[in-house]
Amino acid sequence: MKSHLQQKSLLLIALFFAFCAVDATAQHTVSGRVIDASTSQTLPAVNILVKGTTRGTSTDAQGEYELTVPSATDTLVFSYVGYQNQTVPIDGRTEINISMQPQALVGEDLVVVGYGTQQRQDVTGSISQVDAGEMKKFSSSDPADLLQGRVAGVQVRSNGEPGSIPDVQIRGVGTFGDSQPLYVIDGVPVGTSIRDFSPNDIESVQVLKDASAAAIYGSRAANGVVIITTKTGTKETPLQVKYSGYYGIDQVWQRIPVTGRQNYQMLSNEGQRNAGLTVAPGNDPNSPVYIDDINTDWQDVGLKRGQRMNHNLNFSGGGEYTTYNISLDYLNNKGTLVGHGPDYKRYSGRINTVSEKGIFKFGQTLYYTHTDEKALNYETNVLTGGRPPMIVDLVTAIPTLGVYDESNIGGCAGTESDIHRAIILNVPCINQLLEGETYVDRTFGSAYAQLQLLDQGGHNLRYKLNVSYDRTNVRNTYWVPEFEMGFFFNNTKARLNDGESIYTTALIENTLTYQKEFFGKHDMKLLLGQTFQKGSSVFRNGYSEQFTQPYFPVLDNGTNQTASGSEFENSLASYFGRLNYNYDDRYLLTATIRRDGSSRFAPNYRYGNFPSASLGWNVHNENFIQLPEFISKLKIRASYGQLGNQNIGDYLYTNTVNPGVVYNWDGSKVIGGIQTQISSNDIKWETKTTKNIGLDASFLDNKFDLSAEYYNSVTDDILVGVPIPLSVGANNSPTVNAGKLENSGLEFSLTYSKYKGDFTFDITANLSTLKNKVLSLGGDDEPIYGVGTKTEVGGEVGRHFGYVTEGIFQSQEEIDNHAFQNAGTSPGDLIFKDLNDDGVINADDRTYLGSGIPSFNYGLNFTGQYKNFDFTVFASGMGGYKINSRMYRMLMLTSDYLNYHKDMLDRWTPQNTNTDIPRRISGDPNNNGRNSDREGWLQDGTHLRINTVSIGYNLPKKLLDNYGVQSTRVYVKGQNLYTFQYYKGFNPDFTSGTFEPGFNNGSYPKPRTFMVGIDIAF
């Protein structure tokens, strides 16, 4: 029995080892390397999966992999975000090297255009692609800010306030109203702001700059179009989990040099005495209230260290028929000003799925975002006196005022008329008392269904239905408690404003696309479409006051409650078509037509037609032209077309009457009506006509890529509000078609790429020029005046306008021999030039003093990789314009109790005559502070900013294999490291108004940021 059991045991052991041997014999190990087919650059973190199983691996930082598979007859599936999947049979091989082709949306071969894609070599319009990966290396709360310096012809101006929306202009100022471009996300127009969307969801960005490229969007494309494509999943790919995050410290690195206590008191007293006035008691050493124990550095007290952080979690993958991409994102940016704000938080989530089987394809995207913004704003009925932005108030505050005073309600120190005589706002303290917040909840959903109607015999016909709904709820609250802050800034009743705005947009689109290639050389693609969009806006506001302590600020807890509200609706109906024709990859044609009807215009003027056409010639494909060997590709293209603009308010073509006006008629109260809005009932579309000629070339085996083009655009029938006399009885400026503008310029972009060897890199540079000219202002072409500017036919928009200076009077004799300026003119005052030689300096002696619009913009980007290390340096700048700085002028003002810029220490005195800064005198009898070209009044805006310097390292994959980690990259980054500038303020690239583009009202400083971050893929 025992022997029998032993025999069975030995048999089982033998069978076990036999099966193991069979299994070991069946298993097969394969290895290799994966590269980018177009660049030969290795690809890390590529997923390799044994088809039909969950067994797989991924490439390391050098693009290499090794995988043991069940059988040498298995099939491998290679997948990587942004690249086409590859299915490769093993066929017994032990080494398989793969070259992966980029996907259409992010590759070099195809670009995204309106309602479709197009081969790059077939593009005839002006379209620029933005490297989304490089763009996202810059941290910002608004994705639009990331376009700065990336695209020739695109100018981005912004400030450093968290949550602020940048000013983006494509090829100049094309209208007197909103000149922001139209943003299109996944085929859905979302308006002129994309702050609510996370940059981490972006896969590709295309900028449409001319009519040929943008005319398919017709009425909304006059200011250009930015097309954003978001991330999707990849077929035949197991779940991929990616985390990316960073943490950074923000610091305002610039300091405006202002005077301390002693110099401030000396300059203030000098101005008073020169005017024959008594000095302020607080500045008088002989006064019992003389201040000698306070010397506040307001920039040191009011500016703090800010911070920013971002966390993003992404899940993606797909099977044979369906892909998915899910993301969660959190952004928190705390500002650098002491107090309640500015701060900005954003929470967002996104789900995208795409399903395709047979002739059917369905896709949907659902996006939700919640933001909490604490912006720097205040009500003028609380902080009266025409206050500048808080950053200006902070810098100009006098050093003889402290920060806190517990004897005041609210605990803030303030100036006293019998001590300081100054109207100064205590910014860090008031910013802790006032609480203004904006809460935004936005839900954006889109879905499409596509049906392949025909795909045989070379005929391809498909139908697509696209629908979307966008709803944004905004709540604005503004709380003002009781406070005392000296003799000027006081609030005796706590008050609360609580408002709500609801914006909705619904869209439905139907398109048919037909494509046919015939006779071997002819390729035609025809697009026909219809779209209808409806929008609505609802505004409600509640007000309450006289809250009692302890405060619980809700409307019902106050008295004198009031409420107001309004509602608006608009709609846009459109039909469009586009023809693309390609003959033998040599001759190209694109023709587009769009007809739009907008409810914002009167019935007789609602419809507009916007055609365009463009031609292209691929010279390198011609048999009869022998290009030099160093030219790899050469294309010449030209376009002409028209675009429209309807970006104005609703119902502006209608008159309104207030029927509830109370009158006193012969001692009796009667109710009557009065017209409150005068309108022009024949307002119509703005029309922008563009011409473009361009050249695209590649050199030296595609190592160099060059794009150069010239553009000219003319905008007719510009919609603008025209002032009317108050005697008319209405309080509005009627909107009329009253202007005409021209913009022209050159654009260049050059890229050099090195992809071979251990050290690979890209260098990209772009440069664009801009010339703006006003052709008409409507009516009698009356000029439009702004802050120190004048817009006139024949010149550009918002040119600086004022007096020409000729030095400083040194004696009474020079004053007597010069044209009369003012009765109080004395030695030490500025000499203004008598341009018309009439012996009197007056308004007729003003002239143009320079441009407020940058005449050129440029960007430079370097990215490199050496083994596991990567490097990025990105810089941008602009020039050819002058800046009128409100802050600098206030610090150099000669007639008020403010602090002084240290430049004032070089003012004219009888002992210091060799200077260009006039004397100190209160009241400024010579009006030295008027708009002029005196030193510092118009400063050179030319600058170069080092935007980003980044160093990253990819950890060796073998270190983390046991944890299921495919790739890990850590990096350090510096942002806004330094700006080479002549400007004596914070930001030379500030946002401004249309008619005063060179006027800096007080831009919030852009901080210098140091960040550490990590990207992990599982």
Side-chain angles (χ1 to χ4, degrees):
M1 183 69 180
K2 182 177 180 182
S3 175
H4 183 65
L5 289 174
Q6 286 177 340
Q7 289 177 354
K8 286 187 175 181
S9 299
L10 290 172
L11 179 60
L12 289 173
I13 292 172
L15 289 172
F16 173 76
F17 281 108
F19 279 117
C20 289
V22 170
D23 185 64
T25 302
Q27 284 189 342
H28 183 79
T29 300
V30 62
S31 61
R33 197 179 195 197
V34 182
I35 64 172
D36 184 307
S38 61
T39 67
S40 298
Q41 190 172 10
T42 59
L43 296 176
V46 175
N47 287 289
I48 303 108
L49 190 69
V50 180
K51 189 173 182 180
T53 74
T54 58
R55 179 177 294 190
T57 186
S58 60
T59 57
D60 59 19
Q62 286 75 41
E64 297 176 349
Y65 73 95
E66 182 176 288
L67 177 64
T68 299
V69 299
S71 170
T73 61
D74 282 329
T75 299
L76 299 181
V77 178
F78 293 80
S79 61
Y80 190 56
V81 175
Y83 289 78
Q84 299 175 11
N85 286 1
Q86 288 199 35
T87 303
V88 181
I90 297 176
D91 291 336
R93 291 175 291 175
T94 58
E95 182 177 355
I96 299 177
N97 297 317
I98 296 296
S99 298
M100 299 193 72
Q101 296 285 346
Q103 283 183 342
L105 296 185
V106 298
E108 291 297 320
D109 295 327
L110 291 180
V111 296
V112 180
V113 296
Y115 301 97
T117 60
Q118 195 172 9
Q119 291 282 341
R120 173 167 291 282
Q121 66 175 9
D122 297 341
V123 172
T124 54
S126 182
I127 301 178
S128 294
Q129 278 186 292
V130 183
D131 188 323
E134 289 301 311
M135 185 178 76
K136 286 181 283 189
K137 288 182 180 179
F138 189 87
S139 169
S140 175
S141 57
D142 193 316
D145 206 22
L146 309 182
L147 295 173
Q148 183 178 23
R150 301 289 182 183
V151 181
V154 177
Q155 180 187 112
V156 181
R157 304 173 77 169
S158 61
N159 65 42
E161 184 174 341
S164 63
I165 297 176
D167 180 18
V168 180
Q169 291 183 349
I170 298 178
R171 292 184 168 179
V173 181
T175 180
F176 293 152
D178 186 358
S179 60
Q180 303 297 301
L182 171 70
Y183 294 94
V184 178
I185 297 181
D186 293 333
V188 179
V190 296
T192 58
S193 174
I194 52 174
R195 187 183 68 167
D196 295 331
F197 297 89
S198 169
N200 291 306
D201 291 323
I202 295 176
E203 184 67 50
S204 70
V205 179
Q206 332 281 326
V207 181
L208 315 185
K209 297 185 286 187
D210 71 342
S212 173
I216 198 70
Y217 293 105
S219 65
R220 294 162 293 180
N223 299 315
V225 179
V226 178
I227 297 181
I228 296 174
T229 303
T230 60
K231 295 177 180 178
T232 59
T234 307
K235 287 185 177 180
E236 302 288 357
T237 304
L239 171 64
Q240 293 180 316
V241 181
K242 294 184 178 181
Y243 166 79
S244 61
Y246 62 76
Y247 177 81
I249 298 296
D250 291 352
Q251 192 79 44
V252 177
W253 60 277
Q254 296 162 301
R255 286 292 188 270
I256 308 300
V258 295
T259 58
R261 177 188 65 83
Q262 291 181 329
N263 282 328
Y264 160 72
Q265 291 175 326
M266 178 267 294
L267 290 170
S268 177
N269 292 346
E270 181 180 308
Q272 298 296 303
R273 292 184 178 118
N274 285 342
L277 304 174
T278 59
V279 300
N283 297 336
D284 184 359
N286 299 317
S287 170
V289 294
Y290 174 63
I291 301 172
D292 61 359
D293 57 348
I294 299 176
N295 189 14
T296 304
D297 184 336
W298 287 99
Q299 293 177 75
D300 184 60
V301 170
L303 295 175
K304 65 177 182 179
R305 177 176 293 175
Q307 67 178 33
R308 63 182 65 202
M309 68 174 70
N310 179 235
H311 302 282
N312 180 267
L313 196 59
N314 182 268
F315 308 87
S316 66
E320 184 178 357
Y321 303 113
T322 301
T323 65
Y324 59 90
N325 191 288
I326 303 170
S327 68
L328 299 171
D329 195 88
Y330 170 69
L331 173 74
N332 188 351
N333 189 185
K334 294 185 181 296
T336 53
L337 187 66
V338 171
H340 188 66
D343 297 335
Y344 182 77
K345 292 181 182 179
R346 181 179 63 219
Y347 308 81
S348 62
R350 175 180 171 273
I351 300 175
N352 167 267
T353 61
V354 178
S355 299
E356 184 175 11
K357 187 174 183 180
I359 63 173
F360 300 101
K361 185 176 183 180
F362 305 93
Q364 66 82 29
T365 298
L366 180 63
Y367 188 90
Y368 171 77
T369 182
H370 171 80
T371 63
D372 180 359
E373 180 182 11
K374 300 174 183 177
L376 289 181
N377 50 36
Y378 53 81
E379 295 181 352
T380 56
N381 62 344
V382 176
L383 301 181
T384 57
R387 306 311 307 165
M390 280 193 179
I391 190 66
V392 178
D393 266 323
L394 177 74
V395 175
T396 58
I398 60 176
T400 54
L401 175 67
V403 181
Y404 300 106
D405 186 345
E406 296 301 327
S407 65
N408 286 337
I409 298 176
C412 295
T415 55
E416 301 296 338
S417 60
D418 57 350
I419 299 176
H420 306 88
R421 292 187 188 167
I423 300 175
I424 295 297
L425 183 63
N426 183 340
V427 171
C429 202
I430 193 68
N431 195 36
Q432 296 178 61
L433 296 178
L434 308 182
E435 298 181 11
E437 296 200 34
T438 300
Y439 306 94
V440 177
D441 290 280
R442 183 171 186 174
T443 303
F444 172 71
S446 64
Y448 70 87
Q450 184 173 293
L451 176 64
Q452 190 74 41
L453 299 174
L454 182 64
D455 189 11
Q456 60 182 13
H459 299 276
N460 188 300
L461 177 65
R462 65 178 181 270
Y463 164 75
K464 185 176 182 180
L465 169 66
N466 187 44
V467 296
S468 70
Y469 183 74
D470 189 357
R471 180 185 176 95
T472 303
N473 287 65
V474 182
R475 183 188 179 195
N476 292 290
T477 64
Y478 192 74
W479 164 249
V480 183
E482 291 183 49
F483 65 83
E484 296 174 342
M485 199 176 296
F487 77 100
F488 193 80
F489 296 111
N490 295 284
N491 184 50
T492 58
K493 52 186 178 182
R495 60 189 76 184
L496 173 68
N497 275 287
D498 194 340
E500 180 185 32
S501 305
I502 302 174
Y503 306 91
T504 63
T505 303
L507 174 75
I508 183 169
E509 292 178 331
N510 295 276
T511 58
L512 273 175
T513 304
Y514 172 75
Q515 188 169 7
K516 167 69 175 174
E517 183 176 343
F518 48 95
F519 303 125
K521 294 185 177 181
H522 302 270
D523 190 355
M524 181 187 72
K525 189 174 184 180
L526 179 65
L527 169 73
L528 297 175
Q530 169 272 334
T531 178
F532 179 78
Q533 179 175 304
K534 185 171 184 179
S536 67
S537 304
V538 178
F539 304 97
R540 304 186 185 98
N541 188 73
Y543 173 81
S544 189
E545 62 184 21
Q546 293 182 341
F547 291 80
T548 58
Q549 297 194 44
Y551 294 130
F552 187 64
V554 295
L555 292 174
D556 278 350
N557 288 346
T559 61
N560 299 329
Q561 299 165 357
T562 61
S564 61
S566 58
E567 187 170 349
F568 302 86
E569 289 187 350
N570 60 76
S571 59
L572 184 70
S574 309
Y575 303 90
F576 54 88
R578 180 175 62 212
L579 172 67
N580 294 104
Y581 173 72
N582 178 337
Y583 175 72
D584 198 26
D585 287 332
R586 289 184 289 162
Y587 309 120
L588 313 169
L589 167 68
T590 301
T592 305
I593 180 69
R594 178 162 176 141
R595 179 172 174 82
D596 285 307
S598 172
S599 66
R600 288 176 169 166
F601 302 108
N604 292 337
Y605 299 94
R606 283 184 175 168
Y607 287 92
N609 299 314
F610 306 101
S612 75
S614 59
L615 300 171
W617 180 25
N618 283 318
V619 181
H620 60 277
N621 288 335
E622 288 288 4
N623 295 325
F624 67 89
I625 296 179
Q626 194 68 30
L627 294 174
E629 289 187 4
F630 70 90
I631 299 180
S632 307
K633 296 178 183 178
L634 177 62
K635 178 170 69 178
I636 300 172
R637 50 187 169 80
S639 69
Y640 175 88
Q642 291 184 325
L643 303 166
N645 183 23
Q646 55 115 31
N647 200 9
I648 59 174
D650 298 316
Y651 316 130
L652 295 184
Y653 64 89
T654 60
N655 299 317
T656 59
V657 174
N658 181 355
V661 179
V662 179
Y663 289 90
N664 186 324
W665 184 261
D666 196 23
S668 301
K669 184 178 76 171
V670 296
I671 306 296
I674 185 173
Q675 186 169 349
T676 57
Q677 176 172 295
I678 304 294
S679 66
S680 172
N681 57 16
D682 60 354
I683 57 175
K684 57 184 179 181
W685 295 93
E686 290 184 6
T687 303
K688 184 177 183 179
T689 304
T690 74
K691 304 170 187 175
N692 195 92
I693 184 168
L695 176 150
D696 302 315
S698 297
F699 305 96
L700 300 176
D701 294 328
N702 298 314
K703 292 179 181 178
F704 288 90
D705 291 313
L706 171 69
S707 178
E709 47 197 313
Y710 167 79
Y711 67 89
N712 177 277
S713 65
V714 176
T715 307
D716 290 282
D717 298 320
I718 292 178
L719 295 162
V720 60
V722 177
I724 56 176
L726 293 177
S727 58
V728 175
N731 56 9
N732 72 303
S733 297
T735 298
V736 299
N737 297 97
K740 187 174 183 179
L741 283 175
E742 179 182 32
N743 290 281
S744 60
L746 297 168
E747 296 174 355
F748 303 93
S749 180
L750 179 65
T751 299
Y752 173 73
S753 302
K754 177 185 178 296
Y755 289 125
K756 295 182 179 180
D758 288 336
F759 180 50
T760 60
F761 63 87
D762 283 320
I763 300 177
T764 300
N766 67 77
L767 171 70
S768 58
T769 67
L770 172 64
K771 183 179 180 182
N772 174 268
K773 187 177 182 180
V774 179
L775 302 180
S776 173
L777 289 174
D780 296 328
D781 283 329
E782 289 293 321
I784 299 173
Y785 292 90
V787 180
T789 66
K790 182 180 180 181
T791 300
E792 188 175 40
V793 172
E796 67 180 30
V797 173
R799 282 188 293 176
H800 295 295
F801 187 71
Y803 296 85
V804 177
T805 57
E806 296 185 297
I808 292 179
F809 288 118
Q810 301 296 334
S811 66
Q812 185 62 44
E813 182 180 1
E814 289 184 3
I815 297 171
D816 295 339
N817 292 329
H818 187 265
F820 177 78
Q821 294 189 169
N822 284 285
T825 302
S826 297
D829 285 327
L830 291 171
I831 305 172
F832 296 104
K833 190 172 183 178
D834 186 9
L835 294 181
N836 60 2
D837 293 322
D838 65 353
V840 178
I841 302 299
N842 54 27
D844 295 333
D845 293 301
R846 293 176 298 171
T847 187
Y848 293 105
L849 303 175
S851 173
I853 300 175
S855 61
F856 64 90
N857 296 265
Y858 59 93
L860 179 66
N861 190 65
F862 169 85
T863 60
Q865 184 170 345
Y866 178 73
K867 296 186 177 179
N868 286 15
F869 290 93
D870 60 82
F871 319 91
T872 297
V873 178
F874 171 53
S876 64
M878 57 183 68
Y881 67 111
K882 295 181 178 181
I883 300 174
N884 172 355
S885 170
R886 178 175 184 174
M887 180 188 293
Y888 185 80
R889 291 194 182 192
M890 290 178 69
L891 290 170
M892 297 293 289
L893 200 61
T894 59
S895 61
D896 203 354
Y897 290 95
L898 299 172
N899 202 359
Y900 302 95
H901 196 284
K902 286 186 177 180
D903 285 354
M904 185 61 82
L905 297 176
D906 190 34
R907 75 218 171 277
W908 186 95
T909 66
Q911 295 75 35
N912 182 41
T913 59
N914 186 22
T915 181
D916 48 21
I917 299 173
R919 64 179 178 145
R920 272 286 297 120
I921 180 170
S922 295
D924 192 15
N926 191 55
N927 195 10
N928 292 319
R930 71 183 79 179
N931 292 310
S932 71
D933 65 352
R934 63 172 279 191
E935 181 63 26
W937 254 224
L938 294 175
Q939 302 176 33
D940 188 351
T942 302
H943 69 275
L944 167 65
R945 174 176 289 117
I946 309 300
N947 293 298
T948 306
V949 175
S950 174
I951 300 176
Y953 179 74
N954 290 283
L955 274 63
K957 186 176 183 296
K958 294 180 181 179
L959 292 178
L960 302 169
D961 265 347
N962 294 334
Y963 301 97
V965 177
Q966 294 181 357
S967 66
T968 302
R969 175 180 177 265
V970 294
Y971 61 89
V972 294
K973 183 189 306 181
Q975 186 168 297
N976 290 327
L977 291 179
Y978 190 78
T979 303
F980 299 92
Q981 64 186 62
Y982 302 101
Y983 179 51
K984 296 181 178 182
F986 290 118
N987 306 324
D989 54 342
F990 49 88
T991 58
S992 56
T994 300
F995 294 108
E996 50 267 337
F999 175 63
N1000 187 351
N1001 189 45
S1003 178
Y1004 191 89
K1006 292 182 178 180
R1008 175 184 288 158
T1009 305
F1010 293 100
M1011 291 181 286
V1012 294
I1014 187 170
D1015 301 318
I1016 307 177
F1018 298 91

